[in-house]
Amino acid sequence: MDLRQMEYVIAINEEKSITRAAEKLFLTQSALNQQLQKLESELGTPLFIRTRSAWQPTEAGVVFLQAAETILAVKKDACSRIQDMADASRRTICLGLIPERGVDMFTSIYPEFHRRFPHVLIEPRECNVRTMQKLITKGEIHMGLITLTENQKDDNTYLHMAREEIFLAIPRRHPLAHLGSPSPQTAPDISLEQFAQDYFIQIAQSSTMYQLVEQLFDEAGFSPKVLFYTSSNVSKYRMVCAGVGCALLPAVFAHPDPAVVFFRLERHPFWEVTMCCRKGAYLSKAEKEFLELCRQYWKKE
């Protein structure tokens, strides 16, 4: 048994197909199958139930996968420690970013980071929160910007950056617009139930914000009349500007505009902005410095 075989078994499990796993690993299917059979022969038991639709790990396969993921994580951490000892300035950091907003943080931080660590390569990778959590757990992403509520955290490590309030945005021509404010900073409180008859542009279910806003509607005692769902808060904001409907928006997207009026909801709901990394993962000097720059960025926000 070697580390390469562990990577093979993990790839087969992820793809649920030896054909797709072989393509991912740039191997022929026969070569990958031979490696799997060799390992199963060595262990004395099959690791997968072979079916045409999807390969599933056996009970022994589950045990092997858990151990393999732990061993490969230890290997990755050991390599990081050794690289730090050998040359702390030369390494690659894979950084997870949330679409629409992560780029703003990265472009603000990167010039100073590059000045301090000119030979460190950062590979930004945009993906949604749930995908990022999985990739961080697997060690494919070193750290990532994540927005979520407390009950959406998994076993990874979450480093608090900021609390971000959720605002109600309505079109200027709305009958209750005269009660609101053109700026979220001066927005008065209002009960969401007063908007039970309005149309909303709703966040997609794939977003971690969806669970939070659904809870707000439940507490207000109604299900919103949804015009459409979108994963883009920018799109929601623009639809409010166009007078199409109302929307619940995180503070960073609640920009003053002549066509929009803002309210704060009565209990001032919020979600947390965090930087996430794998639990127990070794952080290099460069990674620690990057996290400190993140803290400074969100402190200014």
Side-chain angles (χ1 to χ4, degrees):
M1 183 191 312
D2 58 32
L3 296 178
R4 184 180 56 180
Q5 289 175 321
M6 294 180 184
E7 292 171 348
Y8 292 167
V9 173
I10 289 174
I12 294 171
N13 182 59
E14 289 175 345
E15 298 299 324
K16 306 302 180 188
S17 161
I18 196 166
T19 302
R20 292 194 296 272
E23 293 173 354
K24 180 179 180 179
L25 295 165
F26 301 103
L27 296 171
T28 64
Q29 181 177 335
S30 61
L32 181 56
N33 192 49
Q34 287 175 9
Q35 287 292 327
L36 177 61
Q37 290 178 343
K38 178 181 177 182
L39 177 60
E40 290 178 327
S41 177
E42 179 184 338
L43 295 172
T45 185
L47 297 178
F48 289 96
I49 300 171
R50 279 86 158 160
T51 66
R52 289 188 177 182
S53 58
W55 284 34
Q56 298 295 335
T58 61
E59 187 175 351
V62 171
V63 173
F64 183 91
L65 283 162
Q66 291 172 343
E69 289 169 355
T70 299
I71 291 169
L72 291 175
V74 170
K75 173 202 170 188
K76 185 181 291 288
D77 287 349
C79 289
S80 293
R81 290 175 184 270
I82 293 169
Q83 287 174 2
D84 256 7
M85 294 168 63
D87 187 351
S89 65
R90 295 183 180 276
R91 62 185 299 112
T92 298
I93 299 173
C94 186
L95 175 68
L97 298 173
I98 305 170
E100 294 186 333
R101 66 182 308 169
V103 172
D104 291 338
M105 182 195 75
F106 178 65
T107 54
S108 295
I109 289 173
Y110 184 74
E112 175 60 21
F113 179 81
H114 181 66
R115 186 188 68 79
R116 299 182 191 182
F117 298 91
H119 300 296
V120 173
L121 175 64
I122 291 188
E123 295 180 352
R125 182 169 177 179
E126 285 194 282
C127 54
N128 65 39
V129 170
R130 292 188 176 90
T131 298
M132 201 185 306
Q133 287 174 314
K134 294 176 182 177
L135 293 175
I136 288 172
T137 299
K138 290 161 58 178
E140 294 185 22
I141 289 179
H142 294 101
M143 61 179 69
L145 177 68
I146 287 183
T147 47
L148 75 179
T149 57
E150 187 65 29
N151 63 357
Q152 293 170 329
K153 295 179 181 179
D154 57 13
D155 288 336
N156 288 310
T157 296
Y158 292 86
L159 307 172
H160 176 80
M161 296 289 140
R163 283 170 45 134
E164 186 173 48
E165 189 170 347
I166 308 299
F167 289 87
L168 171 64
I170 68 171
R172 169 67 68 178
R173 66 188 184 190
H174 191 283
L176 297 180
H178 67 284
L179 300 175
S181 170
S183 171
Q185 282 73 30
T186 57
D189 289 3
I190 201 167
S191 172
L192 186 58
E193 64 186 63
Q194 294 191 51
F195 299 87
Q197 301 306 314
D198 289 287
Y199 285 97
F200 281 80
I201 300 93
Q202 175 65 298
I203 196 70
Q205 294 185 21
S206 59
S207 169
T208 48
M209 186 181 171
Y210 178 81
Q211 182 179 336
L212 173 58
V213 298
E214 283 294 289
Q215 181 180 343
L216 294 175
F217 285 122
D218 286 343
E219 291 173 355
F222 71 95
S223 295
K225 295 190 287 186
V226 179
L227 287 172
F228 63 87
Y229 292 88
T230 175
S231 59
S232 169
N233 278 294
V234 172
S235 295
K236 289 165 60 182
Y237 173 74
R238 290 176 179 171
M239 289 297 101
V240 179
C241 291
V244 173
C246 305
L248 293 172
L249 293 170
V252 71
F253 297 102
H255 305 298
D257 187 280
V260 181
V261 168
F262 295 98
F263 290 98
R264 300 180 79 185
L265 300 180
E266 290 178 327
R267 68 179 185 89
H268 301 174
F270 68 92
W271 63 358
E272 185 180 2
V273 181
T274 73
M275 287 297 294
C276 177
C277 35
R278 182 170 53 81
K279 183 177 181 180
Y282 172 75
L283 295 178
S284 67
K285 180 179 179 182
E287 289 165 337
K288 290 177 180 177
E289 286 288 327
F290 188 86
L291 287 171
E292 182 55 34
L293 290 172
C294 290
R295 291 189 183 95
Q296 294 174 15
Y297 171 86
W298 287 106
K299 191 174 181 179
K300 294 176 184 177
E301 288 294 299

